[in-house]
Amino acid sequence: MRKITPVQFLTLLILIAFSRPVCGQIQSKELVSKFFPDPGIEINTPGFSKAEGFMTYDDMMNFLEPLAQKHSDFMRIGFCGESMSGKKIPVVYLENKSKNSKIKIWMQGGLHGNEPAGTESLLMFIENLVNTGNIDSILNNVSFAFIPMANIDGYEKQKRYNDNGADLNRDQVTLEQTESVFLKKAFTDFSPAVAIDFHEFRPFRKELESFSSEKICISQDVLFLPSGNLNIPAQLRALTNDVYLKDVAAALSNHELTSNMYFVPNTRKNGVNFLQMGGDSPRSSSSSFGLTNAVSILFEIRGINLGKDSYKRRVYSGYLVASSILETSLKNKNKVLKTVESAIHETKKGKTPIVLSSVPAEYQADVNFLDVENAKYFPLKVEIEDANKQSSVSQRQRPKAYILLPGNASIVQKLQILGLKTDTLRSDVTLNVEVFKINPDTTNPQIRKEAIYQISKKKMLFPKGSFVISTAQKNTNIAVSTLEPEMENGFVIYKMIKANSAGEIPVYRCMSKVKSTILNK
């Protein structure tokens, strides 16, 4: 027998150690044939012309440009900016010249570069849509903006992050990345009533090892992530969950595809396993989009680390989701427009309190997983922490305006990109405001999060050029989520706004309407 040297033995151990997680993410042929067979359809998008790998940026543009030339009366390709490597980020617009009231629908994919199915799904949807016989009728009632490949550099390398090593779906508030600024500006300019973001999720998760002695993985084809953020008007959250998502679930089921609300397996400190379901963070697109008073859903397709395994099924899943969103919008056009209008009116009126903190609902539910080795469903009764069903813990009255000092121009620029209109004082003005001051007892472990800051009333002289952000506007809930200091994803938490030498947070709440006569409009 040939002897193995110590170096060879160590190398072998390393290969085994690193191969185990990878092998654990490869689906058996039995599992695929039983649960994830590809549909018997033809898909003509670029990824399916390749025996290996995924489409490139050039493949996508070579696919889209002839379509735009052929259908130039209603399809055009614009560019909202460039990736870090200098590649132009395309925005595909479908709209006609009809003066009808329309639902504006935004769809994007590829924000995470290693999640290719969303991009391919959107290309499939665009191609089928422009070639349908009733496109004029559709565009009389809706208009579209598509960003098929949001993270171009990451996509071409099949890496989650952009070329700066940043996660673009954690940059929806701070806007630190080049792509984030361009994408958000395009979103704000389009101002959609419905906003959809396509992602893929990882079915084989190490966290599931503690849930069962069997080797299990997530079984669903698509997971739904609407926002549970309670500062999104209730009627908008109800429309999202009770109309749009019910229709999507039915559409997928009709094609023998499975779905569930989005969840992540986790374990509490006491060792109890649970599923974190949903989300409410403005740093992610589902909440960031929803806070602009849009129906907002992030869809996760089963796919990370699967390569091109079941790729046709994954792409078709995304296509069916996009088709369902369109169908629901057309079928419920008046209801959608009225609900969005109602949410905007409620936001501008400013009578609903700001929700500073909330807690998820906790309950038990049966969730289907897959027994990987025996290729069968593996139902589990698990604890759920559901952010889609939250309860408010602390609230605060809305101000009529937020005021920032002239030195905060960079912060104001971000607010403008996020869709907020701002004014400036035309001269020095004394105003009655509320001011936050850091609680000196913040070292007390018993202190509540919302008690970290003390609010006091103050008459203050604001210099000429101070910024005034009225709350009587459509995207006020973005201001609320970024400027209230307790907010988990706000500018204070991110240290973009810091306390002054007196311990005051220089974000001032004006509880009376600021007169237009003192503003530079």
Side-chain angles (χ1 to χ4, degrees):
M1 180 181 293
R2 181 184 174 186
K3 289 185 178 181
I4 300 176
T5 67
V7 173
Q8 289 173 325
F9 180 70
L10 180 60
T11 303
L12 181 62
L13 286 178
I14 292 172
L15 287 172
I16 292 171
F18 280 93
S19 67
R20 280 178 180 169
V22 177
C23 291
Q25 293 164 351
I26 297 174
Q27 301 182 131
S28 68
K29 289 183 179 180
E30 183 183 2
L31 197 72
V32 171
S33 62
K34 187 172 182 180
F35 294 103
F36 306 109
D38 282 332
I41 60 171
E42 289 294 324
I43 301 179
N44 301 314
T45 54
F48 292 95
S49 65
K50 294 176 175 285
E52 296 180 357
F54 300 96
M55 80 170 82
T56 64
Y57 172 79
D58 288 339
D59 291 335
M60 176 181 68
M61 297 309 300
N62 290 336
F63 178 84
L64 288 171
E65 286 169 347
L67 279 180
Q69 291 170 5
K70 181 179 178 181
H71 303 285
S72 58
D73 49 334
F74 60 80
M75 178 179 176
R76 66 182 176 89
I77 301 173
F79 296 94
C80 65
E82 295 183 351
S83 70
M84 291 194 69
S85 70
K87 292 187 176 178
K88 293 182 178 180
I89 305 170
V91 189
V92 179
Y93 296 99
L94 300 183
E95 51 196 353
N96 67 15
K97 296 179 181 179
S98 168
K99 301 298 183 182
N100 291 354
S101 58
K102 299 178 184 180
I103 298 174
K104 289 186 174 183
I105 301 176
W106 171 279
M107 293 186 182
Q108 69 179 34
L111 195 61
H112 289 148
N114 63 333
E115 301 171 13
T119 294
E120 204 95 43
S121 297
L122 287 178
L123 296 194
M124 180 183 179
F125 180 67
I126 292 168
E127 181 188 44
N128 280 270
L129 187 57
V130 299
N131 288 319
T132 188
N134 62 336
I135 184 64
D136 286 337
S137 175
I138 291 171
L139 295 182
N140 284 338
N141 295 286
V142 301
S143 57
F144 287 98
F146 299 97
I147 295 195
M149 192 182 286
N151 178 8
I152 295 167
D153 300 338
Y155 196 103
E156 294 222 289
K157 296 171 184 174
Q158 283 300 296
K159 300 292 185 183
R160 179 180 178 90
Y161 306 118
N162 74 343
D163 266 4
N164 204 31
D167 186 332
L168 298 184
N169 204 33
R170 303 294 182 270
D171 191 38
Q172 300 288 311
V173 171
T174 55
L175 302 178
E176 294 177 335
Q177 302 304 310
T178 300
E179 294 92 343
S180 299
V181 172
F182 292 136
L183 293 169
K184 189 64 70 174
K185 181 68 165 57
F187 179 89
T188 295
D189 289 346
F190 188 66
S191 189
V194 177
I196 307 300
D197 191 5
F198 287 95
H199 288 252
E200 291 189 81
F201 69 88
R202 180 161 46 95
F204 293 89
R205 300 190 67 106
K206 185 174 177 60
E207 300 94 326
L208 287 172
E209 291 178 3
S210 62
F211 278 64
S212 170
S213 59
E214 304 294 333
K215 184 175 181 179
I216 60 174
C217 69
I218 299 173
S219 68
Q220 289 78 19
D221 287 289
V222 183
L223 299 178
F224 308 156
L225 180 56
S227 178
N229 192 302
L230 295 181
N231 288 307
I232 297 172
Q235 64 269 41
L236 203 53
R237 286 182 277 120
L239 176 66
T240 302
N241 289 283
D242 299 339
V243 179
Y244 276 94
L245 286 182
K246 282 190 176 180
D247 284 356
V248 171
L252 291 171
S253 180
N254 288 341
H255 291 82
E256 299 183 338
L257 296 165
T258 57
S259 62
N260 199 348
M261 301 302 283
Y262 177 79
F263 61 82
V264 174
N266 209 332
T267 303
R268 299 191 182 110
K269 290 181 180 180
N270 62 4
V272 174
N273 296 316
F274 71 103
L275 299 182
Q276 287 179 290
M277 190 167 284
D280 65 354
S281 170
R283 70 177 185 163
S284 173
S285 65
S286 61
S287 289
S288 177
F289 291 171
L291 288 165
T292 68
N293 282 309
V295 171
S296 175
I297 311 164
L298 189 155
F299 288 100
E300 296 265 8
I301 300 167
R302 188 178 197 275
I304 290 181
N305 289 333
L306 297 184
K308 294 194 83 168
D309 194 359
S310 303
Y311 192 52
K312 185 177 287 188
R313 182 185 183 93
R314 288 150 54 190
V315 171
Y316 191 52
S317 297
Y319 168 78
L320 290 174
V321 167
S323 299
S324 176
I325 294 296
L326 171 58
E327 185 177 340
T328 299
S329 298
L330 293 172
K331 184 172 60 177
N332 299 277
K333 176 185 171 182
N334 290 335
K335 181 175 183 176
V336 173
L337 291 174
K338 286 181 180 179
T339 302
V340 171
E341 182 182 349
S342 167
I344 294 172
H345 176 74
E346 177 185 305
T347 300
K348 288 181 175 180
K349 202 170 181 181
K351 291 191 175 181
T352 55
I354 298 167
V355 176
L356 297 173
S357 61
S358 55
V359 293
E362 296 186 12
Y363 54 89
Q364 287 189 331
D366 292 317
V367 178
N368 259 346
F369 293 90
L370 284 178
D371 178 337
V372 176
E373 293 176 349
N374 297 302
K376 65 179 182 179
Y377 278 119
F378 191 88
L380 274 178
K381 183 177 285 294
V382 291
E383 298 285 334
I384 304 287
E385 289 187 7
D386 193 346
N388 297 313
K389 301 174 182 177
Q390 298 202 66
S391 300
S392 173
V393 173
S394 61
Q395 301 180 341
R396 178 177 293 146
Q397 183 182 354
R398 289 173 181 256
K400 296 295 184 183
Y402 291 100
I403 303 178
L404 300 177
L405 297 175
N408 285 302
S410 61
I411 294 294
V412 171
Q413 184 179 29
K414 289 183 187 291
L415 291 173
Q416 291 169 342
I417 294 168
L418 289 165
L420 287 154
K421 297 176 182 177
T422 63
D423 299 305
T424 55
L425 295 177
R426 63 171 59 177
S427 61
D428 296 355
V429 178
T430 299
L431 296 170
N432 292 312
V433 293
E434 290 184 347
V435 60
F436 296 97
K437 193 168 185 177
I438 297 175
N439 189 332
D441 196 28
T442 50
T443 56
N444 182 349
Q446 302 301 318
I447 193 169
R448 301 188 319 276
K449 183 179 72 172
E450 63 269 23
I452 292 174
Y453 304 98
Q454 299 172 333
I455 292 184
S456 60
K457 297 184 185 299
K458 182 178 182 179
K459 181 175 283 190
M460 181 171 169
L461 177 65
F462 287 93
K464 175 183 176 180
S466 293
F467 298 99
V468 179
I469 302 101
S470 168
T471 56
Q473 55 178 306
K474 170 181 174 288
N475 288 1
T476 285
N477 289 318
I478 292 285
V480 162
S481 298
T482 53
L483 296 178
E484 295 289 329
E486 297 92 341
M487 292 299 190
E488 290 186 0
N489 297 111
F491 293 154
V492 174
I493 294 295
Y494 285 129
K495 301 186 185 304
M496 296 162 63
I497 297 177
K498 299 178 181 178
N500 61 25
S501 58
E504 289 183 355
I505 303 297
V507 175
Y508 304 96
R509 290 163 43 94
C510 192
M511 306 309 291
S512 301
K513 185 176 179 180
V514 179
K515 294 179 181 179
S516 60
T517 53
I518 66 172
L519 299 175
N520 291 310
K521 287 283 188 178

